[in-house]
Amino acid sequence: MELLLTCRIITIFPELIQAGLRHGILRQAQERGKLRAEPLDLRDFAQGKHRQVDDYPYGGGPGMALKPEPVMKAVEHAKRAAGGETRVLFMTPQGAPLTQNDCERLSMRRHLIILCGRYKGVDERARACVVDEEISVGDYVLSGGELPALTLLDAVARLLPGAIGDAQSAMEDSFANGLLEGRCYTRPAEWNGLRVPDILLSGDPVKIAEWRRRDSLRRTMKRRPDLLKQAELTEQDEAHLKHLQTSEGDDHESHQTC
Ligand code: SAH
């Protein structure tokens, strides 16, 4: 069992992080010894009787901001605990939007430190002095960086070799090959008057693989045509896309939702 990644998450709500780490892939990756992840309570690095981590913003206005000193101390502690090269990520709506490519890149790292903001965010000087990379989970504002941190770590953990039971499944996911995954069915073969496409019941692995590729192309074209520009496409794929553009599309589309 080789430990592949450690991740320390700096937060004022360690229980929120713990709860996320106790389930699903994040739990499994830790049980399999591939991932070691833990929250660090920002308050443990604050001074004074009240262990104050936030304060009023200079210049006035509503809201509070996280003070720079505890953030710096927590990051230094996390770096010492990692004992190797680290990358410090700050979750913020002002960061670069998270992509599957980022997750792949970060899954190659040995040690991550994630800083979760709260209130109005983090004092600008702490941000400038300790943060290597700023990451957003989308163009909307949450009240803290904890859910974004768990989002990022979940997406990274499932890419660690051996972290999930079925590695093939992760390779077939949406974005893994630059496309969205196509339709998926499970038993029963007929439900609510709707039948699973015959080809999936045929047992012919080559035909099924072809169907899935075509379905993935079709769905990507309909929902996220922007992705097709970046995806690696074969001549066959290109031909199929042309066919989809000129015709009403695939066979077996009767009960697809897009
Ligand atoms: N006033 C700040 C937002 C603060 S939201 C601004 O306008 O930029 C409080 C904290 O929640 C942020 O510091 C960040 O850590 C987290 N957060 C909110 N939305 C986020 C998003 N879309 N992606 C990543 N982190 C986010």
Side-chain angles (χ1 to χ4, degrees):
M1 254 191 337
E2 191 199 352
L3 177 63
L4 297 174
L5 181 70
T6 77
C7 182
R8 294 174 174 85
I9 301 176
I10 299 167
T11 169
I12 61 166
F13 291 129
E15 295 86 4
L16 183 48
I17 297 296
Q18 287 289 17
L21 293 174
R22 273 200 297 269
H23 301 276
I25 299 277
L26 286 173
R27 179 189 185 136
Q28 214 179 84
Q30 292 175 92
E31 282 176 356
R32 289 173 178 231
K34 306 293 175 189
L35 169 71
R36 191 180 302 149
E38 59 174 6
L40 293 181
D41 190 342
L42 190 61
R43 281 183 213 289
D44 291 345
F45 302 91
Q47 305 220 303
K49 200 169 73 183
H50 300 293
R51 300 202 299 160
Q52 188 184 349
V53 290
D54 58 336
D55 213 331
Y56 294 99
Y58 277 118
M64 304 290 269
L66 294 177
K67 289 161 73 69
E69 189 61 15
V71 167
M72 172 76 111
K73 287 212 169 97
V75 169
E76 280 170 355
H77 175 89
K79 285 187 172 179
R80 274 196 305 276
E85 200 196 331
T86 55
R87 188 136 186 99
V88 181
L89 313 176
F90 175 44
M91 307 313 297
T92 164
Q94 302 184 15
L98 182 66
T99 66
Q100 190 69 16
N101 275 346
D102 294 322
C103 297
E104 276 164 25
R105 173 172 60 78
L106 294 170
S107 75
M108 316 275 187
R109 294 265 167 184
R110 298 300 305 261
H111 305 289
L112 298 178
I113 297 169
I114 308 182
L115 175 59
C116 304
R118 273 276 154 182
Y119 318 119
K120 283 175 72 67
V122 172
D123 181 284
E124 189 65 25
R125 293 159 298 179
R127 192 166 160 171
C129 291
V130 306
V131 172
D132 295 318
E133 188 172 340
E134 304 197 359
I135 299 179
S136 163
V137 293
D139 288 348
Y140 45 85
V141 177
L142 295 160
S143 47
E146 288 75 12
L147 295 174
L150 287 168
T151 299
L152 174 111
L153 189 57
D154 184 291
V156 167
R158 58 203 310 291
L159 298 173
L160 298 174
I164 57 177
D166 191 353
Q168 186 66 26
S169 175
M171 282 163 59
E172 286 171 3
D173 279 337
S174 294
F175 306 112
N177 61 6
L179 301 174
L180 301 181
E181 195 176 26
R183 285 170 284 169
C184 173
Y185 298 89
T186 185
R187 282 181 286 189
E190 183 167 338
W191 174 81
N192 215 15
L194 302 171
R195 269 188 67 73
V196 171
D198 287 338
I199 199 123
L200 294 178
L201 308 174
S202 70
D204 181 334
V206 176
K207 285 227 165 72
I208 291 173
E210 275 172 18
W211 183 91
R212 286 199 167 137
R213 180 74 185 179
R214 288 203 308 267
D215 207 47
S216 159
L217 287 164
R218 184 189 51 74
R219 183 157 272 191
T220 309
M221 192 182 86
K222 293 212 169 158
R223 293 188 179 198
R224 292 291 305 276
D226 57 300
L227 293 177
L228 291 172
K229 291 188 206 103
Q230 306 283 334
E232 273 184 43
L233 301 176
T234 64
E235 272 176 30
Q236 239 177 343
D237 292 337
E238 303 277 9
H240 186 65
L241 284 170
K242 251 198 198 111
H243 165 75
L244 288 175
Q245 275 155 0
T246 51
S247 71
E248 272 306 293
D250 213 339
D251 36 356
H252 310 304
E253 285 202 0
S254 50
H255 45 84
Q256 46 142 337
T257 47
C258 73

